[in-house]
Amino acid sequence: EVQLVESGGGLVQPGGSLRLSCAASGFTFSTYWMSWVRQAPGKGLEWVANIKQDGSVRYYVDSVRGRVTISRDDAKNSLYLQMNSLRGDDTAVYFCARGGKYGRVIDFWGQGTLVTVSS
Amino acid sequence: EIVMTQSPATLSVSPGERATLSCRASQSVGDNLAWYQQRPGQAPRLLIYGASTRVTDVPARFIGSGSGTEFTLTISSLQSEDFALYYCQQYNNWPPLTFGGGTKVEIK
């Protein structure tokens, strides 16, 4: 059974940092693109970043570029999102998501972890 | 960036009736379009990719159609578990991958 389990969310002050983790199981993690997608409270879905199978390619949405770093550890079947200089509009549920073989279609989602940026 | 626009924002439908959801792209995306379902409190779930290809285990009542800039998701006979939010997403020109704003299908 495919599973993606996020952790690391919580309350952080504006300007602070947070590192999200995602533990993957039930599939060959190293052969898939992986993504982070977020959903602000009561809002729609926003793709944040993704990373290619070997980590050689990383893409970011403009609103987080320079503040956020996506990474992976295939030996640990884990995906990460390091978030710095957090702002109020970063408040959202962050979903870890499997991006298929080519990074384009998100074929499986975790349950998400809530990040709240507030003083 | 390709902007995806979904309509209507909310669709009120009686169980057993047909629901028709629309998704428009700001420029052609070919057939590189996916549909997702999100039930309350749950993670999204992939329903359709390639504009019309259903994922395994998705019921046949979910029908995707369209190409270019105009797409439709039709749910032929709504069941109770189908009342949810639905999002379209383009993957023709990326990054970024972009989603529509969603359509909420609610019980009439």
Side-chain angles (χ1 to χ4, degrees), chain A residues 33 35 37 39 43-47 50 59-62 65 95 102-112, chain B residues 1 32 34 36 38 41-46 48-50 85 87 89-91 94-101:
Chain A
W33 279 77
S35 290
V37 179
Q39 186 170 37
K43 302 297 185 182
L45 301 170
E46 180 184 37
W47 171 81
N50 62 5
Y59 294 123
Y60 300 92
V61 70
D62 283 350
R65 188 175 294 111
F95 295 101
Y102 305 105
R104 303 177 299 177
V105 176
I106 297 174
D107 62 5
F108 193 83
W109 303 64
Q111 289 300 309
Chain B
E1 173 178 327
N32 295 307
Y36 301 87
Q38 186 178 30
Q42 295 188 16
R45 164 198 178 199
L46 176 66
I48 287 171
Y49 63 93
L85 275 162
Y87 295 94
Q89 176 234 323
Q90 71 82 23
Y91 52 93
W94 69 283
L97 297 170
T98 50
F99 292 88

Side-chain angles (χ1 to χ4, degrees), chain A:
Chain A
E1 179 192 6
V2 174
Q3 288 195 18
L4 296 171
V5 180
E6 302 92 338
S7 60
L11 176 64
V12 61
Q13 292 189 338
S17 298
L18 213 54
R19 188 194 196 208
L20 306 183
S21 300
C22 171
S25 60
F27 64 102
T28 306
F29 180 77
S30 62
T31 65
Y32 285 84
W33 279 77
M34 295 298 296
S35 290
W36 289 97
V37 179
R38 68 184 178 183
Q39 186 170 37
K43 302 297 185 182
L45 301 170
E46 180 184 37
W47 171 81
V48 174
N50 62 5
I51 184 168
K52 193 179 178 182
Q53 286 90 336
D54 59 1
S56 62
V57 177
R58 310 176 195 208
Y59 294 123
Y60 300 92
V61 70
D62 283 350
S63 60
V64 306
R65 188 175 294 111
R67 301 188 297 120
V68 164
T69 302
I70 188 172
S71 61
R72 64 191 295 160
D73 185 337
D74 289 350
K76 295 183 178 180
N77 289 338
S78 293
L79 178 73
Y80 306 100
L81 191 70
Q82 176 67 45
M83 300 189 295
N84 302 323
S85 303
L86 282 162
R87 313 184 305 216
D89 59 0
D90 294 317
T91 294
V93 173
Y94 285 73
F95 295 101
C96 170
R98 192 175 73 175
K101 299 295 186 178
Y102 305 105
R104 303 177 299 177
V105 176
I106 297 174
D107 62 5
F108 193 83
W109 303 64
Q111 289 300 309
T113 187
L114 176 62
V115 173
T116 303
V117 183
S118 175
S119 55

Side-chain angles (χ1 to χ4, degrees), chain B:
Chain B
E1 173 178 327
I2 295 180
V3 177
M4 307 300 294
T5 303
Q6 291 186 243
S7 62
T10 303
L11 189 59
S12 298
V13 185
S14 299
E17 290 189 342
R18 174 190 298 255
T20 303
L21 289 65
S22 295
C23 174
R24 174 177 293 177
S26 60
Q27 64 190 77
S28 177
V29 299
D31 62 356
N32 295 307
L33 184 107
W35 288 95
Y36 301 87
Q37 177 192 65
Q38 186 178 30
R39 294 174 176 143
Q42 295 188 16
R45 164 198 178 199
L46 176 66
L47 295 178
I48 287 171
Y49 63 93
S52 61
T53 303
R54 274 189 305 275
V55 171
T56 305
D57 294 336
V58 171
R61 63 181 180 271
F62 290 90
I63 303 164
S65 62
S67 66
T69 62
E70 301 284 343
F71 300 89
T72 300
L73 175 67
T74 302
I75 311 171
S76 59
S77 177
L78 274 160
Q79 306 298 303
S80 57
E81 63 267 28
D82 301 335
F83 292 96
L85 275 162
Y86 293 84
Y87 295 94
C88 61
Q89 176 234 323
Q90 71 82 23
Y91 52 93
N92 189 63
N93 286 7
W94 69 283
L97 297 170
T98 50
F99 292 88
T103 291
K104 180 181 180 181
V105 178
E106 65 175 24
I107 299 174
K108 187 174 182 180

